[in-house]
């Protein structure tokens, strides 16, 4: 959705899921504060797993269902380090009993690229 999308404008009033946008922003800010202060341990493993599961599920549903991709990270530049990104990707693959070969088979050009 774009910022001018009517569904987004009604967030919180008519949409029972309108709270997600604001909560996501607050979670992203809190994660930055926690990691920068070395206090990531204050968030349970289960909570992080729930957030990762939800984010992956929503990203896949939006990109496949809308036949487009969008930048999966907030902001500009290096908002996460390559090490952070590859650590997460590696563990997601491992959790699903997949390896780099399966990733290579599924890797594709973005639908919006020429």
């Amino acid at each position: 959705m774009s910022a001018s999308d009517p569904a987004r404008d009604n967030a919180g009033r008519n949409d029972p899921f309108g709270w997600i946008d604001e909560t996501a922003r607050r979670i992203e800010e809190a994660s930055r504060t926690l990691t920068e202060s070395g206090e990531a341990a204050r968030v349970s493993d289960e909570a992080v797993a729930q957030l990762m599961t939800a984010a992956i599920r929503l990203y896949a549903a939006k990109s496949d269902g809308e036949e487009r991709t969008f930048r999966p990270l907030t902001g500009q530049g290096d908002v996460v380090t390559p090490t952070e990104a590859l650590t997460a990707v590696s563990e997601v693959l491992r959790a699903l009993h997949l390896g780099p070969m399966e990733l290579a088979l599924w890797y594709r050009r973005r639908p919006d690229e020429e």
Side-chain angles (χ1 to χ4, degrees):
M1 275 191 265
S2 70
S4 63
D5 197 325
R8 174 169 279 172
D9 294 339
N10 291 327
R13 291 183 292 207
N14 298 325
D15 184 356
F17 301 105
W19 58 270
I20 293 174
D21 287 347
E22 174 62 20
T23 302
R25 185 191 61 73
R26 292 179 60 205
I27 290 170
E28 197 277 330
E29 288 175 1
S31 74
R32 185 181 312 114
T33 300
L34 288 165
T35 55
E36 287 174 355
S37 65
E39 297 185 71
R42 293 178 65 184
V43 180
S44 72
D45 294 355
E46 181 65 20
V48 173
Q50 289 171 332
L51 291 167
M52 290 277 292
T53 301
I56 291 167
R57 182 181 295 125
L58 285 169
Y59 188 87
K62 285 184 67 64
S63 63
D64 289 347
E66 297 172 13
E67 295 182 2
R68 68 181 183 91
T69 60
F70 55 94
R71 182 172 162 78
L73 302 173
T74 59
Q76 300 297 317
D78 296 334
V79 294
V80 298
T81 67
T83 298
E84 290 168 333
L86 291 173
T87 296
V89 168
S90 296
E91 290 308 314
V92 168
L93 290 173
R94 188 173 285 123
L96 296 172
H97 307 291
L98 299 171
M101 183 60 147
E102 286 85 4
L103 178 60
L105 291 171
W106 278 91
Y107 191 83
R108 60 185 170 160
R109 288 197 104 169
R110 292 174 28 184
D112 55 342
E113 288 182 333
E114 293 285 328

